[in-house]
Amino acid sequence: MRRAILFAFITVFFISYTQAQKPSTPSAIEIYESLQKLNFLGSVLYVAAHPDDENTRLISYMSNHVKARTGYLSLTRGDGGQNLIGPELSELLGVIRTQELLAARRVDGGEQLFTRANDFGYSKHPDETLSIWNKDEVLSDVILAIRSFKPDIIINRFDHRTPGTTHGHHTSSALLSLEAFDLSNDPSAYPETLKQTSTWQPKRLFFNTGWWFYGSQENFENADKSNMLSLDIGVYYPLKGLSNNEVAALASSQHLCQGFGRLAQRGSQNEYIEFLKGEPLVDNVNIFAGIDTSWNRIKGGKAIGDILYNIENNFNFKDPSVHIPQLMQAYQLVKNIEDTHWKKLKTKELRTIIEMCAGLYLEVSAENNWATQSETIKLDIEVLNRSNLFIQLNTIENASGLKISKDMILEENTKYVFNEPLMIPNDQKPTTPYWLMKKGTLGMYKVSDPELIGLPETPRVFNLDFNLLINNTPITITKPVIYRYSKPDKGELYQPFEVIPEASAKITEKVIIFENNKQRDISVVVKAGRDNLIASVEISHPNNWSVYPKTQKVNIVNKGEEQTLVFSIMPPKSQSEGNISPIIHVNDKQYTKELIEIDYSHIPFQTVLLPSESKIVRLDIKKKGENIAYIQGAGDMVPESLRQIGYNVRVIKPEDINPETLSLFDAIVIGIRAYNTLDILPFKQQQLFDFVAQGGNMIVQYNTSYGLNTEQLAPYKLTISRDRVTNENAEVRFLDPDHELLNYPNKITKTDFEGWTQERGLYFPNAWHDAFTPILSMNDPYETPKDGSLLVAKYGKGHYIYTGLSFFREFPEGVSGAYRLFANMLSIGKNTVELEAKLSD
């Protein structure tokens, strides 16, 4: 029975939330829980740096046990992380991780906020972080979040007192939160944010501490906890059939691209928060002690509370609609309170509860999931009153001037379907994440509209207002336009409704490498956003490169269809690089954006518009060996990149590793974090080592020091550390300048390490067998040299290479030196083979 309840909860969550915009159909239990939260007037803001930094156990506890309005302020969207489920990196990864955060909040009951800070990659110190971020702007955003959310309690995930001991973004989030706590109530501090909100003083600030900050459980047990609150976050929720930690595990498991799926925990478990500043603690149990969280908190609230507490105490689980008369009475009172903050919040909450209790089903589905400017589309509007209440539908309207008069009584359980047109204005901007509309800096997104700052996603433009009379009281319920459809193998599905350009284009390869001066054909895919698209396409390119033909015509009959054009690119004779972009001409308009669609089952379908651009590189490169086997780890673009420079790359599964298969290849390359993610790989190690011993080359790219699934990473002793060099411009020193890796078949110089992006590398080994030769040395400022970024060992007739250099980041950016060095790694030993062949002749 217990398993059945848990399965039911997971199933309801999956059905309700993984398909975007699906109309809510809550149970009586969910209505009751919403009513409990309605009757709690207190709020908590949890602050950290990235998606997956949040403590879902504590967020769920505050939201579901305490019943507080709970938010998570993630300073960044996680663009600098890695992706375990697909190829998206950088800003596209940030889009995925934003949606994973929203999915997590839907599970644990929290809300999601952001700043404009960009996750530019690992940072070792907050000084570096705040020099790359615009500290003034990020602090302004944190203050805006506090002034808008108006939390009584702020909880920092990280310790502001320990700079340099963890990720610089982490410490920066705590430092900024601490500073904002003191400034948010000062009208002279960041007055521009007061155009959107008002000053606010949180009551208390805490740090979410634990044994890991003390080095061990023993140290923490012996620590002075008189300034801490202990919270049992293992509480059980009978209404859910789950413990708090089970809910939290479901929430954190939404971070799939970071590999955060985890087992649920059950039973009592203490969480500790350390008091930092604000109103003194009253006791060591209640975080809200001394703070009025009842309806008495606001002027006129007692009368509202008298009504709503009575409903909560006498809730009718069999027929929640019996409470509608009292709920409508409370709704009228809430609309008249003076406190604008609580008025806005509680009106919204009450409106939702009224809709749920009345069993109203309101849906607006477009005939397609997208449209273009000036297009008229058909809407299917479904209205259903599943109660015996008197409900009248007066009008349906939207902000664009659509107004449909109905003036009809909604009979019980009778479905009404209306077909109405929706005109897309000719100046309507396409749908895309607002923070990506303009090019930002390394550390900051650029957001022109201050009203958007901090929002998790771009607000939906097309909504319909249903103006109703319920119990003779007017109420308006707003629903977004969505797209509902079905597939035979998946059933009913939902997608957001988007506006896209009438034309978009993409070059199929984001980096195009020319290993010589021979021309190459590239494919440009043009997508029509409307019917009967007639256009011409040209390619913008550097002056010393040539493109043929100069323009090509496009004629696409049906919207949604694509046409592929082939252009020839002629590189210069010498090494060169630049960018090419397709330009689509439609009458007097130009389009230069690529339409990117992100489709994963655990998040809503995402449409992103980015500049359509590819990097072209005329590379001075030589290589030996042709056939490469690649074993994918956490996901990267290395196989595609190696094919660009002429290698025959075959991706093989670990279970297919055997002597016969390996004999087909000159080298085998192991993808990033493969020994963290592939359980079967350790059982194939000896066969891989035998391949090396017989003359093959084996290149292993970085793995994290934690979560390794083997102790025998190499044929000789090798210890992975957390050493990393985050400064992409850090000096690179050659420890063995005459080594083959630096000289054959390409002469590697310091210029090959220019133009690297985000970092030099990560998780370098810090101890190794004497059989290994370290090739490079590098370090971040004020740190000791790190010599483990590139290690090579002769093993039998072949070579084993371990590297923490971030080739997986450099290849997609077209960094020529990274290609040249990797070609040398693949070619090692081939020089000896050539010499032996010449001698034998």
Side-chain angles (χ1 to χ4, degrees):
M1 182 62 181
R2 177 80 167 77
R3 182 184 296 271
I5 293 173
L6 176 59
F7 177 79
F9 178 85
I10 295 172
T11 302
V12 168
F13 162 72
F14 180 83
I15 292 174
S16 299
Y17 296 117
T18 57
Q19 297 301 330
Q21 312 295 324
K22 181 169 185 175
S24 176
T25 53
S27 66
I29 289 175
E30 292 173 291
I31 298 172
Y32 178 71
E33 289 177 322
S34 297
L35 188 62
Q36 289 179 308
K37 291 184 178 183
L38 176 70
N39 282 335
F40 190 93
L41 279 70
S43 53
V44 178
L45 184 63
Y46 198 86
V47 181
H50 310 109
D52 72 37
D53 280 345
E54 80 273 28
N55 184 343
T56 56
R57 298 181 302 274
L58 196 51
I59 290 175
S60 177
Y61 178 87
M62 290 297 166
S63 176
N64 295 302
H65 179 69
V66 178
K67 306 301 180 185
R69 183 190 182 211
T70 308
Y72 173 43
L73 174 60
S74 176
L75 267 60
T76 76
R77 296 175 185 268
D79 298 48
Q82 285 128 47
N83 187 356
L84 298 185
I85 62 173
E88 297 88 356
L89 290 174
S90 302
E91 59 270 274
L92 294 180
L93 178 59
V95 173
I96 293 173
R97 298 188 74 186
T98 294
Q99 291 301 320
E100 288 183 340
L101 275 173
L102 289 170
R105 298 295 77 78
R106 288 192 288 264
V107 177
D108 60 34
E111 300 177 36
Q112 189 60 52
L113 302 85
F114 291 98
T115 74
R116 287 170 288 174
N118 188 14
D119 178 5
F120 56 82
Y122 193 86
S123 174
K124 293 184 176 178
H125 199 279
D127 288 349
E128 178 195 35
T129 299
L130 296 174
S131 68
I132 295 175
W133 289 350
N134 183 320
K135 181 194 172 184
D136 192 59
E137 288 185 356
V138 181
L139 179 58
S140 170
D141 292 354
V142 176
I143 289 173
L144 174 62
I146 293 173
R147 286 173 172 174
S148 300
F149 197 81
K150 301 195 184 308
D152 300 300
I153 307 297
I154 296 178
I155 304 175
N156 290 343
R157 181 55 168 151
F158 300 104
D159 192 351
H160 66 282
R161 297 160 294 196
T162 54
T165 61
T166 182
H167 199 319
H169 298 182
H170 293 169
T171 311
S172 295
S173 70
L175 288 167
L176 292 168
S177 175
L178 195 77
E179 191 171 350
F181 184 90
D182 293 330
L183 293 175
S184 58
N185 201 36
D186 181 357
S188 66
Y190 300 93
E192 67 277 4
T193 66
L194 297 177
K195 296 176 183 177
Q196 301 162 246
T197 183
S198 59
T199 58
W200 179 254
Q201 182 57 60
K203 303 298 190 297
R204 298 187 181 111
L205 176 66
F206 293 89
F207 159 49
N208 184 193
T209 189
W211 67 264
W212 54 91
F213 290 103
Y214 286 77
S216 69
Q217 286 279 10
E218 182 181 0
N219 290 344
F220 187 62
E221 288 173 6
N222 296 327
D224 178 11
K225 298 184 181 63
S226 59
N227 208 34
M228 298 182 191
L229 269 67
S230 174
L231 309 171
D232 183 359
I233 46 89
V235 294
Y236 177 67
Y237 303 128
L239 292 178
K240 295 181 185 294
L242 296 170
S243 70
N244 183 73
N245 280 344
E246 288 175 300
V247 175
L250 286 169
S252 64
S253 294
Q254 301 309 304
H255 295 295
L256 295 185
C257 72
Q258 290 299 106
F260 263 57
R262 63 183 176 90
L263 289 172
Q265 295 179 330
R266 286 162 284 277
S268 181
Q269 181 182 349
N270 287 330
E271 190 79 43
Y272 292 89
I273 54 175
E274 178 187 353
F275 175 74
L276 297 180
K277 61 168 51 183
E279 296 182 2
L281 295 179
V282 177
D283 58 48
N284 281 32
V285 178
N286 183 5
I287 194 172
F288 281 97
I291 302 172
D292 189 353
T293 58
S294 73
W295 279 101
N296 293 329
R297 177 172 189 162
I298 59 177
K299 184 179 178 181
K302 184 180 182 306
I304 300 169
D306 288 344
I307 298 170
L308 295 177
Y309 293 134
N310 181 62
I311 298 175
E312 181 182 345
N313 294 332
N314 300 281
F315 188 73
N316 189 325
F317 286 89
K318 291 184 177 180
D319 185 8
S321 68
V322 302
H323 301 298
I324 288 292
Q326 292 77 31
L327 288 169
M328 296 306 299
Q329 184 183 357
Y331 177 72
Q332 287 290 81
L333 293 173
V334 169
K335 288 177 65 177
N336 292 323
I337 62 176
E338 295 178 8
D339 189 311
T340 55
H341 173 69
W342 289 113
K343 177 181 178 179
K344 180 180 178 181
L345 287 179
K346 295 304 177 181
T347 298
K348 181 180 178 181
E349 289 179 51
L350 252 175
R351 188 185 293 121
T352 301
I353 291 172
I354 291 167
E355 179 187 357
M356 292 189 292
C357 286
L360 273 171
Y361 188 90
L362 307 172
E363 180 183 275
V364 187
S365 178
E367 61 184 314
N368 205 326
N369 66 316
W370 44 258
T372 57
Q373 297 172 339
S374 304
E375 185 177 357
T376 299
I377 61 165
K378 186 182 74 173
L379 299 180
D380 291 328
I381 304 171
E382 183 176 337
V383 180
L384 182 62
N385 169 22
R386 292 175 290 190
S387 72
N388 59 7
L389 295 168
F390 173 83
I391 300 179
Q392 179 174 316
L393 174 62
N394 290 334
T395 60
I396 302 173
E397 57 188 42
N398 70 2
S400 301
L402 173 71
K403 187 168 184 177
I404 309 159
S405 295
K406 293 299 179 183
D407 295 324
M408 58 188 298
I409 306 299
L410 302 179
E411 299 294 340
E412 181 179 357
N413 210 30
T414 299
K415 182 173 72 172
Y416 301 90
V417 177
F418 314 116
N419 300 124
E420 300 291 346
L422 176 67
M423 174 69 181
I424 309 299
N426 58 15
D427 59 350
Q428 179 61 52
K429 293 180 180 179
T431 308
T432 195
Y434 70 85
W435 61 95
L436 300 178
M437 288 180 180
K438 294 190 176 181
K439 187 175 179 60
T441 65
L442 174 63
M444 297 295 296
Y445 299 117
K446 185 174 182 179
V447 181
S448 300
D449 185 352
E451 296 288 337
L452 296 175
I453 294 173
L455 297 181
E457 54 187 345
T458 307
R460 292 288 153 188
V461 174
F462 295 103
N463 305 282
L464 287 192
D465 294 332
F466 293 82
N467 298 314
L468 304 153
L469 277 180
I470 300 180
N471 205 42
N472 291 314
T473 301
I475 186 170
T476 298
I477 297 174
T478 302
K479 295 294 177 181
V481 177
I482 49 87
Y483 172 55
R484 180 167 68 106
Y485 64 108
S486 66
K487 288 187 175 181
D489 58 336
K490 293 184 178 180
E492 186 177 63
L493 298 170
Y494 287 79
Q495 284 186 12
F497 174 73
E498 316 276 27
V499 175
I500 66 171
E502 61 179 330
S504 58
K506 66 177 179 181
I507 300 173
T508 54
E509 297 170 295
K510 290 304 173 189
V511 175
I512 305 167
I513 306 294
F514 294 77
E515 57 176 318
N516 51 47
N517 61 358
K518 293 182 180 179
Q519 74 176 41
R520 282 186 57 181
D521 290 342
I522 65 162
S523 296
V524 177
V525 181
V526 179
K527 183 170 185 174
R530 63 170 175 82
D531 293 337
N532 301 315
L533 177 70
I534 299 174
S536 63
V537 180
E538 63 174 312
I539 303 293
S540 171
H541 58 85
N543 290 332
N544 58 336
W545 294 66
S546 300
V547 175
Y548 178 83
K550 290 187 178 297
T551 63
Q552 294 194 57
K553 296 293 184 182
V554 171
N555 191 337
I556 303 176
V557 176
N558 300 312
K559 73 175 184 177
E561 292 183 350
E562 297 177 339
Q563 182 175 335
T564 300
L565 308 175
V566 177
F567 289 85
S568 296
I569 308 292
M570 281 72 77
K573 293 182 178 181
S574 58
Q575 185 159 317
S576 174
E577 61 182 57
N579 294 305
I580 56 174
S581 302
I583 303 173
I584 308 172
H585 299 271
V586 183
N587 297 323
D588 58 345
K589 294 181 179 179
Q590 291 185 3
Y591 297 94
T592 59
K593 296 289 182 72
E594 174 182 355
L595 182 68
I596 302 166
E597 297 176 337
I598 300 175
D599 190 7
Y600 292 102
S601 62
H602 67 300
I603 60 173
F605 187 91
Q606 297 294 299
T607 299
V608 185
L609 279 170
L610 291 177
S612 183
E613 188 175 80
S614 292
K615 187 173 183 178
I616 47 176
V617 180
R618 165 65 172 93
L619 192 58
D620 179 14
I621 190 171
K622 302 178 182 68
K623 64 185 191 302
K624 298 295 179 180
E626 297 295 331
N627 301 313
I628 311 298
Y630 198 88
I631 298 176
Q632 289 280 13
D636 55 55
M637 302 294 289
V638 174
E640 295 90 335
S641 300
L642 295 179
R643 292 185 186 113
Q644 288 259 17
I645 55 174
Y647 282 106
N648 300 318
V649 183
R650 176 179 162 190
V651 177
I652 63 174
K653 297 178 180 179
E655 51 266 32
D656 295 333
I657 294 174
N658 57 63
E660 183 180 357
T661 299
L662 295 179
S663 67
L664 303 173
F665 301 103
D666 300 301
I668 186 164
V669 181
I670 311 296
I672 62 172
R673 295 179 65 178
Y675 290 97
N676 300 124
T677 59
L678 302 176
D679 293 335
I680 192 176
L681 193 55
F683 298 102
K684 299 291 185 176
Q685 283 293 80
Q686 191 56 54
Q687 294 182 57
L688 293 171
F689 296 157
D690 291 344
F691 165 75
V692 177
Q694 293 163 14
N697 293 335
M698 179 177 176
I699 299 174
V700 178
Q701 298 177 87
Y702 99 94
N703 292 268
T704 61
S705 56
Y706 55 89
L708 278 173
N709 54 29
T710 181
E711 295 181 0
Q712 192 179 6
L713 199 61
Y716 306 106
K717 183 179 179 181
L718 185 70
T719 304
I720 307 299
S721 74
R722 296 180 66 87
D723 288 348
R724 64 201 302 162
V725 177
T726 60
N727 184 347
E728 63 269 32
N729 298 311
E731 178 191 6
V732 177
R733 300 174 292 275
F734 296 170
L735 296 175
D736 189 352
D738 296 327
H739 196 279
E740 185 179 353
L741 279 184
L742 297 176
N743 292 278
Y744 179 82
N746 303 289
K747 177 68 175 177
I748 302 300
T749 68
K750 295 295 180 69
T751 59
D752 287 300
F753 292 92
E754 295 176 359
W756 283 51
T757 182
Q758 188 160 324
E759 62 199 355
R760 288 295 190 199
L762 62 170
Y763 291 99
F764 297 162
N766 64 351
W768 49 84
H769 190 275
D770 290 342
F772 282 104
T773 300
I775 304 299
L776 306 172
S777 179
M778 59 191 71
N779 57 271
D780 282 323
Y782 313 112
E783 292 191 354
T784 58
K786 306 294 184 290
D787 298 344
S789 65
L790 181 57
L791 303 172
V792 57
K794 191 80 163 58
Y795 183 69
K797 297 180 181 179
H799 294 82
Y800 175 97
I801 297 174
Y802 188 92
T803 180
L805 294 171
S806 59
F807 290 102
F808 74 102
R809 294 198 189 280
E810 311 316 316
F811 285 169
E813 296 298 324
V815 178
S816 58
Y819 280 92
R820 286 162 46 83
L821 178 57
F822 209 92
N824 281 14
M825 291 158 58
L826 291 169
S827 303
I828 192 170
K830 301 297 187 293
N831 190 24
T832 305
V833 172
E834 287 181 357
L835 289 174
E836 290 176 349
K838 288 179 180 179
L839 289 173
S840 64
D841 289 341

